[in-house]
Amino acid sequence: MRGIGGWCAIPLFWLITVAFSAQWTIGVYMCADNGMNEQANSDIAEMMAVGSSGSVNIVVQVDYAAWDTNPSCRRYYIKKNQKELLADLGEVDMADSATLADFIAFLKKSFPARNYFLIIWDHGNGWRAGYGPRRAVVIDESHSHMMGVAGGELASALRLGKKMLGRKITVLGFDACLMGSIEVATEVMDYCDYLLASEGLVGWEGFPYDDFFGKIVANPAVTTEELLKEMCADYGKRNSGEDVCLSAIFLPQLPRVINRINALCSTLSAVGDLRLARERVQTFGIDASRPPAVTDEQIDFIHFWQLVPSAGGCGLSAVAPLLSALDSLIIANAAYGDYRNARGVAAWFPYRYLSFKAKAAEYQELVFADSTPWLWFLNNYYSRDDVKPTQPEILNHRTGNRNDIRLWWSKSYDLAPVTYILYRVTEPETVFFDCAADLNNWQTEGWTLSTRYFHSAPFAFFSGSAAGLNSELTLCEPLNLPAGGLLSFYACYLTEEGEDSLSNPVRDVCYLEYSSDRSNWFPMDSFYGTKEFWDEFRYILPPVSQFYLRFRYRTNGAINYLGVFIDDLKVERFSTSTSTSPVKDTTFYLFNLPRDTTGYYFLVVGVDSFGNFSSVSDYYQVKIKTFAEPYTRPAPFADRCKIVLDFPEEENPDVLIFTLSGTLVKRFHRVTSQEIDWDGRQERGKEIADGVYIVVVKGRNFRKIGKIAKVRTSWI
C-alpha cells in the first residue's frame, strides 16, 4: 500500500506543461466504496468522452468497494477516451475529512488553475451528522465510516482545503441526494463561492458529465454563473420527464438571507396561520419509490415563504425582504415532474413534532442553527414542547465583606426561554436509600426486579412491558420532610411514543408522583420515549410531614417496547430551605446571610416557558464564618418591619436603635429570637421619622452593628 503522497511520481516536465495554463481544474471526489461501486465506472466513462484540455484539467479520486475486482483508491487524470493513473493510494478512508482536504491540496499543487470545481460524488443525505443509517454525504463501507455535515466534518475538510488553496473553492458540487439545502449552504459558505446541488433525490445516473464537462472544455473562459446556468438547464434536459431538480447558489449572498431570516422569525409570535403553507409546500423525501409527500421532512424554503401570504400568514410586507434576498441567492434552477415547485434551496421542516424532537439536538450542531432562530421558530410552530432544559450547574461564587454572595451557574440549553430558581438549603441528610436489591420498601403491582439492566449490580426495578399496564411501585413507609428535600435516582427507558393520524400523541408513560396520604397523588414528572443509557434525575421535594413516592407505568393497547428501569433511589431531608422567584439571568446575589460554618448548600433548576423543569443541579456549598449585620425585612421599611438578627446561640443580646446623631430611639432587652417584629415607633409610641438608623446588637461577648432605613410608602 502506497501513501497519499504517491502523486509525487508525476513527471516534472508534465507538471511544468500544465502549470499556470489552466482556466479550470475539476476534481471529482468519488467514494464508491459502497453500493455505488458499479456506477463510478459509468460516470468516469462520461468524463472520458470529453477529456481534459490545455485549459481544463479533469482529475478523479475514486475509491472502489472491497468486493470490486480491482479494489482500493486511485487518482486519474481524465483524457479523451482514456484515464491516466496518477497514483494508487491503496485503501484509504474517503469519509475522513483529512482525505478530502489532501485531495484539494493535491489539485492545487499538481494542477494549479484560475478556478477550482470540486464535486463530491456519493449517496448524500442532506445535513445529517456522519453516523447511523442513511445519515451521511460520504460513506466508506470498508472503514465503517461516514462523513456528515452536522458536527462540522464536511466543513473541517473544506476549511483545510481553502487554506491549502489560498482562496475559496470556486464551485462546490454535490452529485449526491438532498444536498441543496440552506443548512448545507451555510456550512460551506466560508469556503466556497458557489454551490451546485439538488434539493431532492438524484437519479442513479447522477450528473451528465459529458454535457457538464463538455461545456467547460468548449468554452473555458465562460463565467461561473453562465456555466452553472447551462449545467442546470442541461441536467433538466437530460432527465426530461423525470422528477429532478438542480440549482446553483451564490454563497456570498447567504449572510444577507440569514439576516432576513433572523428579522422575520423574531416578528412571528403566532404560527398557526403558517400551517396551511406547510401543507401545500414542495417537499423532498428519502424514498425514491414514491412521490414527495406532506410528511417529508425537507421542504423548499422559498416556496414555503411564497405560500405564506396566501395561507393567511404574517403578510407579504413581512415576507418580501426575505424573498428578495432568496431571489438573489439562487442564480440558476431547474425543476421538473414532482419537483416542479422546487425553487432552489431546501430547509428542514418536519411535518410531525416527534420527528422534530428526535433530531433537534443533532440539528443544533449546524452553523445554520447557531446563526438563526430556525429551531426556535419550529419549536413554536408545533407548540408542543415537552423537552426538559438541560441540567444547570453552579460554577462559581464570590463573597463580600457583608456576608453577601454572588453565584454563577451554567446556562440550560432549551428551545424555549428558560428562567431559573435558586434554592438555599442547610444540612442535607440522607433519610432513604434503595439500591433495588429487593422490593421490601415497596408495595408493588406489576413492578419486578430486573437482572437484564441495572445501574448498580445486581438488580433494578422494572416496570414490565405489555399492553394495558397500570403497574405501580409505591413507597410503603412515609418520610418526614418538614423543610422539603431532594429526590434522586437513575433511570433508563424505551417506551412507545408516536402520533395518530391527527398528530395527537400516542404514548406509554411512566408517571412520578407523590402524596401525603396515599389517596391524593400529585405529579412530579413523566417519562416516555427513549433514554438508552442510565441518567440521573434530581427533584426538589415539597415540605410535608408524610411523603409517599410512587412510580406508575401506564401502557395502551398498541405497540409496547422495553419499558422502564429505576435504580439507586435516594431521598435527602433539609433542615431549612428557601427559594428565589424565577430569574432570567444565570447569576444571583444574596445579601447578609447569617453565619453558618457547616455551610449553605445551593441548588438551581431551570424551567422553560412551556413549564418543563430541568433536573436539579448538584450541591454547591458555601461556608459563612462571620455573623451577619442586622437588617430589616422589607428594606427599606415604611411602617412595620422585622429586624433580622444573627448572633451566637449562647447570647441573649440587647438590640438598640439609634439615630445617626447618637440618640437612642428603641431598645429591645434580652432578645432570644433571630427576628424582632417592630412597629417602627419609639419607646414612647411615637412613629419615627424617615431616615437612616443605626442598629447595635450587644451581648456579653458579642457586638454587631448595622444600618436600616425608613421611607414613607408614598416615597418608595
Side-chain angles (χ1 to χ4, degrees):
M1 171 179 174
R2 277 177 278 175
I4 291 177
W7 57 268
C8 292
I10 300 171
L12 180 60
F13 75 88
W14 192 79
L15 291 177
I16 295 172
T17 302
V18 300
F20 305 107
S21 62
Q23 287 280 354
W24 289 89
T25 287
I26 306 170
V28 187
Y29 190 77
M30 306 183 78
C31 184
D33 193 353
N34 48 55
M36 297 280 289
N37 186 78
E38 298 301 325
Q39 186 59 32
N41 291 326
S42 298
D43 285 350
I44 291 174
E46 287 184 351
M47 301 176 203
M48 290 163 52
V50 177
S52 302
S53 69
S55 297
V56 179
N57 301 305
I58 304 172
V59 184
V60 172
Q61 178 167 312
V62 56
D63 184 27
Y64 291 100
W67 43 266
D68 187 82
T69 55
N70 191 15
S72 81
C73 182
R74 290 177 286 279
R75 286 176 180 160
Y76 293 105
Y77 185 74
I78 304 300
K79 297 182 177 181
K80 181 75 172 178
N81 297 323
Q82 64 176 303
K83 56 185 179 181
E84 180 177 333
L85 180 66
L86 301 178
D88 187 336
L89 306 178
E91 187 55 56
V92 301
D93 182 2
M94 292 283 280
D96 190 331
S97 298
T99 305
L100 176 55
D102 182 81
F103 178 59
I104 298 171
F106 169 75
L107 297 177
K108 165 68 174 177
K109 188 168 185 178
S110 301
F111 303 98
R114 291 182 175 88
N115 299 288
Y116 292 89
F117 193 152
L118 174 66
I119 297 175
I120 298 178
W121 182 103
D122 203 347
H123 281 288
N125 191 32
W127 59 265
R128 301 297 301 276
Y131 52 86
R134 306 183 71 161
R135 290 192 182 185
V137 58
V138 178
I139 302 171
D140 190 308
E141 290 186 354
S142 293
H143 290 81
S144 301
H145 189 197
M146 303 180 186
M147 180 192 296
V149 177
E153 284 184 295
L154 175 64
S156 176
L158 297 177
R159 185 183 305 112
L160 288 171
K162 176 187 173 184
K163 182 178 180 181
M164 294 167 179
L165 287 179
R167 56 190 174 91
K168 290 184 179 181
I169 297 166
T170 310
V171 181
L172 173 64
F174 284 103
D175 190 355
C177 297
L178 300 164
M179 300 306 293
S181 70
I182 198 164
E183 294 90 357
V184 174
T186 307
E187 207 76 15
V188 305
M189 67 179 180
D190 289 338
Y191 319 114
C192 311
D193 290 322
Y194 295 89
L195 174 65
L196 179 69
S198 173
E199 299 177 70
L201 300 178
V202 175
W204 196 251
E205 292 77 15
F207 285 173
Y209 288 98
D210 46 358
D211 288 341
F212 280 16
F213 294 174
K215 287 287 192 303
I216 305 177
V217 170
N219 183 16
V222 65
T223 67
T224 304
E225 293 197 4
E226 289 173 350
L227 173 64
L228 293 175
K229 288 177 182 178
E230 291 182 6
M231 285 182 168
C232 289
D234 287 346
Y235 184 74
K237 293 175 185 176
R238 189 72 165 257
N239 295 279
S240 177
E242 299 181 27
D243 303 331
V244 295
C245 59
L246 187 68
S247 61
I249 297 172
F250 182 50
L251 294 171
Q253 179 66 16
L254 198 49
R256 180 183 168 212
V257 173
I258 289 173
N259 288 337
R260 297 302 188 191
I261 293 171
N262 292 340
L264 179 59
C265 288
S266 64
T267 65
L268 296 176
S269 56
V271 296
D273 291 338
L274 303 175
R275 300 191 186 282
L276 186 55
R278 179 59 182 87
E279 294 283 341
R280 297 174 176 176
V281 71
Q282 174 73 59
T283 64
F284 308 96
I286 61 174
D287 187 353
S289 66
R290 63 161 176 79
V294 69
T295 53
D296 292 332
E297 294 187 12
Q298 294 291 118
I299 67 163
D300 185 273
F301 195 66
I302 300 174
H303 190 217
F304 174 76
W305 292 113
Q306 289 174 337
L307 290 171
V308 165
S310 62
C314 54
L316 184 60
S317 61
V319 176
L322 174 59
L323 288 175
S324 175
L326 287 167
D327 183 62
S328 300
L329 182 72
I330 309 302
I331 64 166
N333 183 52
Y336 298 91
D338 286 331
Y339 287 159
R340 58 187 172 275
N341 286 316
R343 304 290 197 258
V345 65
W348 184 59
F349 195 149
Y351 185 68
R352 300 189 182 280
Y353 170 69
L354 288 185
S355 299
F356 166 77
K357 176 181 173 181
K359 300 182 182 71
E362 184 181 350
Y363 194 87
Q364 182 63 29
E365 298 181 25
L366 289 163
V367 173
F368 183 73
D370 193 47
S371 305
T372 69
W374 188 242
L375 274 175
W376 171 88
F377 164 80
L378 292 178
N379 196 54
N380 279 273
Y381 171 84
Y382 302 111
S383 299
R384 283 177 51 189
D385 188 336
D386 61 352
V387 178
K388 302 175 179 67
T390 58
Q391 178 179 307
E393 290 296 346
I394 301 176
L395 303 173
N396 200 1
H397 79 282
R398 185 177 63 208
T399 56
N401 295 326
R402 302 181 65 189
N403 286 22
D404 53 318
I405 298 175
R406 181 168 291 279
L407 295 160
W408 288 268
W409 55 84
S410 60
K411 184 178 181 179
S412 290
Y413 168 71
D414 197 77
L415 295 179
V418 177
T419 56
Y420 302 91
I421 302 172
L422 180 69
Y423 292 86
R424 185 183 80 208
V425 306
T426 59
E427 300 178 5
E429 172 194 7
T430 299
V431 294
F432 178 79
F433 179 76
D434 195 327
C435 63
D438 54 50
L439 293 166
N440 294 340
N441 292 318
W442 306 87
Q443 178 180 324
T444 62
E445 295 181 26
W447 285 73
T448 59
L449 295 177
S450 169
T451 57
R452 182 177 181 183
Y453 295 107
F454 48 78
H455 180 256
S456 61
F459 303 117
F461 299 129
F462 173 49
S463 64
S465 178
L469 288 181
N470 191 15
S471 56
E472 297 181 1
L473 182 71
T474 307
L475 192 63
C476 293
E477 298 297 328
L479 302 174
N480 180 24
L481 306 175
L486 180 73
L487 166 67
S488 64
F489 58 85
Y490 287 84
C492 67
Y493 47 87
L494 177 60
T495 74
E496 179 196 10
E497 183 183 19
E499 295 175 326
D500 61 20
S501 59
L502 299 176
S503 296
N504 297 312
V506 178
R507 296 186 179 119
D508 295 336
V509 184
C510 182
Y511 297 97
L512 173 63
E513 302 166 319
Y514 79 92
S515 174
S516 60
D517 56 12
R518 296 192 63 170
S519 296
N520 300 298
W521 291 92
F522 301 95
M524 294 177 61
D525 202 355
S526 57
F527 309 99
Y528 48 84
T530 302
K531 177 71 70 173
E532 296 183 52
F533 303 102
W534 288 97
D535 204 358
E536 185 181 22
F537 295 80
R538 297 162 61 84
Y539 304 87
I540 294 291
L541 301 178
V544 289
S545 58
Q546 290 194 120
F547 175 82
Y548 291 95
L549 182 67
R550 180 171 75 176
F551 294 92
R552 181 165 58 91
Y553 186 50
R554 174 172 289 181
T555 65
N556 55 32
I559 299 171
N560 300 111
Y561 294 134
L562 190 59
V564 180
F565 300 84
I566 305 291
D567 203 352
D568 293 335
L569 293 100
K570 181 169 67 173
V571 176
E572 295 172 274
R573 177 170 56 203
F574 305 145
S575 291
T576 62
S577 176
T578 60
S579 63
T580 66
S581 299
V583 296
K584 294 181 180 180
D585 292 334
T586 55
T587 183
F588 195 81
Y589 177 76
L590 298 101
F591 172 72
N592 222 5
L593 292 176
R595 180 176 184 265
D596 191 331
T597 56
T598 61
Y600 291 100
Y601 294 83
F602 293 95
L603 301 161
V604 65
V605 61
V607 55
D608 68 21
S609 58
F610 286 85
N612 301 305
F613 283 78
S614 75
S615 189
V616 179
S617 72
D618 291 328
Y619 288 113
Y620 188 89
Q621 186 181 14
V622 179
K623 295 182 179 181
I624 303 295
K625 299 181 180 180
T626 60
F627 289 96
E629 297 176 1
Y631 65 94
T632 63
R633 197 164 50 230
F637 66 97
D639 40 47
R640 300 193 71 90
C641 67
K642 290 186 181 295
I643 304 175
V644 182
L645 308 172
D646 188 22
F647 54 83
E649 292 182 2
E650 64 273 12
E651 294 279 359
N652 296 122
D654 289 349
V655 177
L656 303 95
I657 302 174
F658 296 92
T659 65
L660 290 179
S661 62
T663 303
L664 180 64
V665 173
K666 183 73 173 181
R667 177 194 288 266
F668 298 91
H669 294 278
R670 307 277 302 167
V671 174
T672 59
S673 172
Q674 300 285 331
E675 289 187 351
I676 300 175
D677 189 15
W678 183 37
D679 59 7
R681 296 180 180 274
Q682 301 175 352
E683 294 286 358
R684 297 178 181 179
K686 183 180 178 181
E687 184 178 352
I688 65 172
D690 288 358
V692 178
Y693 295 84
I694 304 296
V695 179
V696 179
V697 183
K698 183 179 180 182
R700 294 180 60 185
N701 299 297
F702 177 79
R703 185 181 181 90
K704 201 72 177 180
I705 299 175
K707 292 181 180 179
I708 61 174
K710 179 178 184 296
V711 180
R712 284 199 298 271
T713 305
S714 60
W715 291 10
I716 297 177

